[in-house]
Amino acid sequence: MHRTMSLVVAMQVSSDDVVMAADRRGTYGDPRALVCLDENMNKLHVCGNAALGIVGMPGAVFAPIVAVQNQAATTPDLVGALSAALREHYVKNFSLRPFITNAPMIDSRPMASIVYADRRSKGAGLCILPADLNFTPMFTGQRYAMQGVTSY
């Protein structure tokens, strides 16, 4: 079982530039005794004038992120394109979990969340796109965004 113990933090500084940081560890196993898979996992990506941070399983969202990166220069609504690409990718590859189910919350859909940050002023460009909400952009309305296990 893959555990999603990541942390991504994005902050918009006074010049309206964005600073983003993430851990680089990919882990596998029981969280009480983690077995490290990769100490150099890249969870931060540049996408046009935006930065993306991946929390959870980066491999589950890598293909749609690369597709959006390749179209970033010609896409006016980058966060909308990213949301649509991630949603389509999950429906095609992992299906949808019913809203009401007897199955455990952890199912076949990989847990992942994207922290999206661009240079729009006053935090209007910072949002989180979580898989469990079908990658709907949730704008923070603040000058910071954080996703993941905050104890890290």
Side-chain angles (χ1 to χ4, degrees), residues 14 35 39 47-48 59 63 75 91 96 98 121 126 132 136 150:
S14 60
V35 177
E39 289 283 354
C47 190
T75 305
V91 168
L96 283 174
S121 63
L126 300 178
D132 53 347
T136 301
T150 56

Side-chain angles (χ1 to χ4, degrees), residues 95-115:
S95 139
L96 283 174
R97 180 182 68 214
F99 183 70
I100 299 173
T101 179
N102 291 330
M105 289 304 291
I106 297 174
D107 61 10
S108 62
R109 287 188 73 157
M111 295 309 296
S113 186
I114 308 298
V115 175

Side-chain angles (χ1 to χ4, degrees), residues 80-96:
L82 180 63
S83 175
L86 289 163
R87 188 178 307 118
E88 180 182 328
H89 176 73
Y90 262 54
V91 168
K92 178 181 175 186
N93 294 291
F94 307 118
S95 139
L96 283 174

Side-chain angles (χ1 to χ4, degrees), residues 19-81:
V19 177
M20 187 178 274
D23 69 292
R24 294 185 62 87
R25 177 175 276 185
T27 56
Y28 183 85
D30 188 318
R32 295 170 290 183
L34 294 173
V35 177
C36 185
L37 287 178
D38 187 352
E39 289 283 354
N40 294 306
M41 186 171 283
N42 184 13
K43 298 178 184 178
L44 299 178
H45 300 275
V46 175
C47 190
N49 288 325
L52 309 174
I54 304 170
V55 173
M57 296 180 70
V61 295
F62 190 69
I65 285 176
V66 169
V68 171
Q69 280 176 317
N70 293 336
Q71 302 168 1
T74 60
T75 305
D77 179 16
L78 195 56
V79 73

